[in-house]
């Protein structure tokens, strides 16, 4: 609406303009054009009067529109119309040369204008230096005029030339807006076009008016004045379409006969004029931006003047944007998609927007490569080294640490002393039980000499008990020296700072792990556990040996999950094929397990697709 009002304002030489629509009891402005002053309340009042009476309203504006043009007066002209089925009005403020500010004169002039428009009287050529030629006004119902009351003594103050300028200006405005109103008053596109061609045929007294719209690469006739139904395959309609296509290709108005006698009319127009017994023809392209939407072709029995040609060209500029909007609204879903794809392909394959084309080409290349190029799909997991063989060294009895020979990290051989426990109490107990045994031996021999068999059997039992005590103490004294059970490395136990501390029986003092036998423990996320099976191969990279990778093979998968950092993990065991001397128990790294070859695009988007599926399932249930 704003673009249309700007164009109409330029065509009628208006300094200000206002377009309103009625919504219930309110009048809502849709668009406005301001030249030197903001739209004042007088224009809004003219619009309300036009809406109220459904007729033309002319009112002299009290507010001068330009201080530097003191000799000119401001006149507001309001016309009622319908916008998308709703009542509306448009008001133009015009600058008129007039020596005195006389509203009564304006009223008389407006009455003459409206009577001339109603009677379709001729136009005055004396106002050519005041306003540019524009179409005349065709009024279907008798309008009324509203003005401000002024003293009757001021009548006749305006010269005849200036009266004619106002007449011409208002008539041309009404002509333009009447044709536009005929187009926008109907909702259906075909009905709108039919109303438009009938209005133009009446206005220019034509025998026939045709309008065609571009469909694909050809033009199809959509409406003919005076005909509700017509056969587009008839010879006449085919010739009309050819003439319209000629206008579309030339993108300019074509008039037959032409005022320039040296100019030869185009072939299709000349052929159509000959078929119609040489009537006068004029075809006007309906353009928007850089494209032709359709063609308007008029036929009548007398030639078209240059002034009428200019009027039709201005009319085409006004109705072309509205025709584009109505054509878009009338399009079906399939037509809209074809249009969208056509424009997209045109932008893609045309000569413009090189950066966009290169970007799309690069995107297509990336998509093609990601869909065709394959590589090994792998799942990763946190990994750590654990020894396959590990032994614990514990205290055999309660005592005190008397000596420590090794600590965690020391490499030891089987039988090497790790620590010693205090055995002083054990030595004293052994001496005690050795003396007790000697005493029992003496008693045993004495009773054996006396052949006291019952006493001998009791003493034999006591002697055995004393010997068992001595053997137990000897064993404890022997276990007081803690030795490495296997060749390996001490992985836990550092007691150099705790010599003399008490230890309890069974307390863990050292752990010794083998050096050449490790197993790999993987913490695999539950979303990847389905890809792994026993026998799967993979590669390990340790944080302490980032320059090398070590191959491994999966040997066991535990069926129980363990809570991890934000996700459940499964414990997977694997055997390393190569064990360098620099490996130590407890080292950590990242392992990648080979699954199967897949397209790299699938690999890159797998995690996002899985997440999206879960979100859709969670919120949408699909």
């Amino acid at each position: 609406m704003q673009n249309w009002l700007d164009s109409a304002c330029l065509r009628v030489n208006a300094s200000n303009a206002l377009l309103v629509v009625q919504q219930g009891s309110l009048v809502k402005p849709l668009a406005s054009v301001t030249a030197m002053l903001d739209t004042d309340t007088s224009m809004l009042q003219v619009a309300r009067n036009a809406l109220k009476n459904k007729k033309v309203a002319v009112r002299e504006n009290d507010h001068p529109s330009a201080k530097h043009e003191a000799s000119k007066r401001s006149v507001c002209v309001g016309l009622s119309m319908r916008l998308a089925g709703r009542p509306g009005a448009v008001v133009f403020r015009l600058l008129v040369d007039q020596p005195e500010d006389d509203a009564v004169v304006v009223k008389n002039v407006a009455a003459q204008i409206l009577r001339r428009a109603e009677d379709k009287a001729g136009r005055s050529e004396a106002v050519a230096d005041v306003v540019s030629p524009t179409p005349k006004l065709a009024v279907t119902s008798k309008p009324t005029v509203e003005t401000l009351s002024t003293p009757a003594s001021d009548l006749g103050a305006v010269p005849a030339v200036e009266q004619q300028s106002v007449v011409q200006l208002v008539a041309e405005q009404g002509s333009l807006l009447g044709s536009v109103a005929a187009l926008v008053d109907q909702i259906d596109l075909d009905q709108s076009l039919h109303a438009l061609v009938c209005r133009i045929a009446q206005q220019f007294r034509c025998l026939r008016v045709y309008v065609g719209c571009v469909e694909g690469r050809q033009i199809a006739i959509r409406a003919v004045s005076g005909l509700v139904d017509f056969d587009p395959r008839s010879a006449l309609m085919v010739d009309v379409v050819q003439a319209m296509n000629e206008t579309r290709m030339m993108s300019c108005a074509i008039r037959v006969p032409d005022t320039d006698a040296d100019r030869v009319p185009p072939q299709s127009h000349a052929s159509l004029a000959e078929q119609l017994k040489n009537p006068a023809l004029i075809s006007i392209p309906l353009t928007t931006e850089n494209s032709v939407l359709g063609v308007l072709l008029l036929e009548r029995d007398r030639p078209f003047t240059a002034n009428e040609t200019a009027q039709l060209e201005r009319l085409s500029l006004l109705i072309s944007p509205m025709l584009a909007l109505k054509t878009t609204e009338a399009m079906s879903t399939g037509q809209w998609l074809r249009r969208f794809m056509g424009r997209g392909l045109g932008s893609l394959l045309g000569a413009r927007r090189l950066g966009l084309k290169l970007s799309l080409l690069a995107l297509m290349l990336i998509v093609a490569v990601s869909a065709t190029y394959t590589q090994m799909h792998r799942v990763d997991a946190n990994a750590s080294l654990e020894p396959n063989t590990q032994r614990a060294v514990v205290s055999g009895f309660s005592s005190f640490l008397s000596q420590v020979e090794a600590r965690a990290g020391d490499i030891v051989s089987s039988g090497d002393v790790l620590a010693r426990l205090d055995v002083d109490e054990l030595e004293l107990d052994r001496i005690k039980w050795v003396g007790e045994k000697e005493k029992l031996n003496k008693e045993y021999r004495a009773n054996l000499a006396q052949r006291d068999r019952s006493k001998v059997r009791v003493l034999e039992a006591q002697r055995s008990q004393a010997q068992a005590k001595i053997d137990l103490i000897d064993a404890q004294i022997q276990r007081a020296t803690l030795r490495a059970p296997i060749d390996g490395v001490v992985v836990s136990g550092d007691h150099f700072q705790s010599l003399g501390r008490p230890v309890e029986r069974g307390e863990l003092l050292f752990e010794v792990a083998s050096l050449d036998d490790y197993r790999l423990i993987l913490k695999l996320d539950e979303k990847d556990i389905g890809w792994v099976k026993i026998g799967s191969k993979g590669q390990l990279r340790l944080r302490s040996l980032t320059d090398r990778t070590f191959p491994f093979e999966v040997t066991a998968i535990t069926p129980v999950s363990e809570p991890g950092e934000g996700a459940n993990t499964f414990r997977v065991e694997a055997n390393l094929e190569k064990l360098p001397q620099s490996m130590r128990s407890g080292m950590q790294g990242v392992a990648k397990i080979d699954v199967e070859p897949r397209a790299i695009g699938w690999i890159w988007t797998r995690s996002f697709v899985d997440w999206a599926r879960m979100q859709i399932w969670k919120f949408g249930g699909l």
Side-chain angles (χ1 to χ4, degrees):
M1 290 298 180
Q2 184 65 49
N3 292 337
W4 172 83
L5 190 62
D6 291 339
S7 178
C9 195
L10 292 175
R11 296 299 180 276
V12 300
N13 290 334
S15 61
N16 298 68
L18 176 65
L19 182 64
V20 299
V21 66
Q22 185 173 0
Q23 294 182 348
S25 60
L26 300 178
V27 176
K28 179 182 178 182
L30 292 182
S32 64
V33 176
T34 58
M36 300 176 187
L37 294 174
D38 295 334
T39 302
D40 52 29
T41 56
S42 61
M43 295 183 67
L44 192 59
Q45 184 61 37
V46 172
R48 290 194 178 99
N49 293 336
L51 283 169
K52 178 180 178 181
N53 299 321
K54 307 296 183 183
K55 297 177 182 179
V56 180
V58 179
R59 180 176 183 176
E60 183 180 7
N61 189 18
D62 300 332
H63 206 314
S65 60
K67 294 182 179 179
H68 62 284
E69 297 187 28
S71 61
K72 290 191 176 183
R73 300 174 58 200
S74 176
V75 178
C76 292
V77 179
L79 297 171
S80 64
M81 57 192 302
R82 294 189 66 83
L83 302 175
R86 293 184 177 182
V90 63
V91 181
F92 292 99
R93 177 185 288 139
L94 310 173
L95 295 179
V96 181
D97 290 328
Q98 191 167 331
E100 297 180 3
D101 186 9
D102 192 343
V104 177
V105 173
V106 174
K107 176 180 179 180
N108 295 333
V109 171
Q112 294 177 8
I113 292 171
L114 296 173
R115 283 197 298 273
R116 283 193 175 188
E118 183 180 10
D119 298 336
K120 300 179 182 174
R123 297 176 305 278
S124 173
E125 299 296 332
V127 296
D129 57 340
V130 180
V131 292
S132 60
T134 51
K136 23 176 217 179
L137 175 65
V139 181
T140 57
S141 62
K142 186 173 182 179
T144 60
V145 179
E146 275 195 25
T147 65
L148 296 176
S149 60
T150 55
S153 59
D154 294 333
L155 295 176
V158 182
V161 173
E162 296 178 3
Q163 295 180 12
Q164 294 294 339
S165 68
V166 178
V167 171
Q168 180 72 12
L169 187 59
V170 175
E172 291 176 351
Q173 291 177 18
S175 176
L176 290 172
L177 295 175
S179 299
V180 172
L183 178 64
V184 301
D185 194 40
Q186 303 294 330
I187 298 178
D188 183 73
L189 176 61
D190 290 333
Q191 294 178 1
S192 299
L193 294 176
H194 189 267
L196 174 65
V197 295
C198 290
R199 175 59 183 261
I200 295 176
Q202 180 184 8
Q203 176 183 344
F204 291 91
R205 299 185 180 183
C206 297
L207 300 175
R208 284 283 185 271
V209 177
Y210 309 85
V211 62
C213 296
V214 176
E215 296 180 0
R217 297 185 178 181
Q218 295 294 327
I219 288 183
I221 298 178
R222 300 296 296 269
V224 181
S225 64
L227 295 178
V228 177
D229 190 14
F230 58 89
D231 185 7
R233 296 173 295 180
S234 64
L236 175 61
M237 294 302 173
V238 171
D239 291 342
V240 171
V241 169
Q242 291 179 355
M244 288 182 174
N245 281 320
E246 202 169 53
T247 303
R248 176 193 176 192
M249 289 184 293
M250 298 179 67
S251 297
C252 64
I254 299 176
R255 186 170 50 181
V256 179
D258 202 316
T259 54
D260 188 354
D262 297 333
R263 184 180 302 170
V264 179
Q267 181 179 358
S268 297
H269 283 73
S271 176
L272 179 61
E274 183 179 356
Q275 181 181 354
L276 296 173
K277 306 302 181 181
N278 295 320
L281 300 177
I282 186 171
S283 57
I284 307 294
L286 305 176
T287 60
T288 175
E289 295 182 353
N290 297 324
S291 62
V292 178
L293 299 175
V295 175
L296 193 65
L297 191 144
L298 288 73
E299 168 196 349
R300 76 180 186 185
D301 53 1
R302 67 178 186 277
F304 291 90
T305 65
N307 188 25
E308 290 173 332
T309 303
Q311 293 179 32
L312 288 170
E313 289 178 345
R314 286 192 289 273
L315 178 62
S316 69
L317 294 177
L318 288 175
I319 65 176
S320 293
M322 298 184 185
L323 178 60
L325 291 175
K326 282 189 168 289
T327 304
T328 303
E329 291 177 356
M331 290 172 60
S332 63
T333 304
Q335 292 173 334
W336 187 88
L337 290 176
R338 285 195 298 271
R339 179 181 179 183
F340 178 77
M341 295 299 296
R343 290 184 176 180
L345 291 176
S347 299
L348 179 62
L349 302 178
R352 298 184 302 169
R353 300 180 180 177
L354 180 60
L356 175 62
K357 295 178 179 61
L358 293 177
S359 301
L360 291 176
L361 183 62
L363 180 61
M364 293 173 61
L365 181 62
I366 292 173
V367 171
V369 171
S370 62
T372 56
Y373 181 74
T374 61
Q375 69 177 19
M376 182 61 66
H377 170 44
R378 296 177 175 178
V379 295
D380 53 31
N382 294 326
S384 60
L385 286 176
E386 291 184 2
N388 244 346
T389 304
Q390 185 168 316
R391 296 290 183 268
V393 179
V394 299
S395 172
F397 55 91
S398 298
S399 182
F400 299 91
L401 277 175
S402 63
Q403 186 178 355
V404 177
E405 300 291 341
R407 68 178 66 186
D410 291 347
I411 297 175
V412 295
S413 300
S414 178
D416 288 350
V417 176
L418 302 178
R420 288 185 173 87
L421 302 179
D422 183 68
V423 294
D424 291 344
E425 292 186 3
L426 293 177
E427 292 290 348
L428 292 176
D429 285 344
R430 189 179 189 283
I431 293 172
K432 170 185 173 183
W433 284 106
V434 169
E436 184 68 22
K437 181 181 177 182
E438 290 296 331
K439 176 182 177 183
L440 293 173
N441 284 336
K442 290 179 181 179
E443 291 181 2
Y444 173 80
R445 287 192 295 269
N447 287 302
L448 184 60
Q450 295 176 3
R451 297 186 179 185
D452 189 352
R453 293 185 177 181
S454 60
K455 190 66 173 178
V456 168
R457 285 196 291 271
V458 173
L459 291 174
E460 283 181 353
Q462 291 177 347
R463 287 173 59 198
S464 300
Q465 182 181 6
Q467 186 60 45
K469 289 286 186 181
I470 293 171
D471 294 339
L472 176 60
I473 291 172
D474 290 340
Q476 290 178 339
I477 292 174
Q478 185 178 2
R479 288 199 299 271
T481 302
L482 304 179
R483 300 179 182 275
I486 58 173
D487 295 340
V489 59
V490 179
V491 295
S492 67
D494 187 357
H495 306 289
F496 278 95
Q497 303 298 325
S498 56
L499 288 175
R501 77 172 181 85
V503 295
E504 299 295 332
R505 181 179 179 181
E507 181 180 346
L508 178 63
L509 297 178
F510 298 96
E511 284 183 312
V512 181
S514 59
L515 282 172
D516 55 355
D517 188 14
Y518 292 100
R519 61 180 174 179
L520 184 64
I521 304 300
L522 309 178
K523 299 293 185 180
L524 196 64
D525 196 293
E526 62 180 350
K527 65 182 177 64
D528 298 324
I529 193 64
W531 297 101
V532 180
K533 59 184 179 180
I534 296 176
S536 298
K537 304 288 186 179
Q539 301 287 327
L540 169 68
R541 179 160 295 190
L542 297 172
R543 291 187 175 91
S544 58
L545 301 171
T546 56
D547 58 335
R548 300 174 59 185
T549 57
F550 306 96
F552 64 86
E553 180 180 352
V554 176
T555 57
I557 301 175
T558 59
V560 180
S561 64
E562 301 175 359
E565 297 179 359
N568 289 334
T569 59
F570 285 82
R571 179 184 174 95
V572 178
E573 298 182 5
N575 283 338
L576 290 167
E577 298 178 2
K578 297 180 180 180
L579 298 175
Q581 294 296 327
S582 56
M583 275 194 176
R584 291 292 183 269
S585 176
M587 286 185 174
Q588 295 183 347
V590 176
K592 292 185 176 292
I593 304 173
D594 298 337
V595 178
E596 61 183 6
R598 287 288 187 125
I600 57 175
W602 181 90
I603 295 175
W604 293 342
T605 59
R606 180 182 69 91
S607 297
F608 174 76
V609 171
D610 292 342
W611 174 84
R613 286 174 178 169
M614 288 303 299
Q615 297 304 313
I616 293 173
W617 173 256
K618 180 178 179 181
F619 296 105
L622 300 178

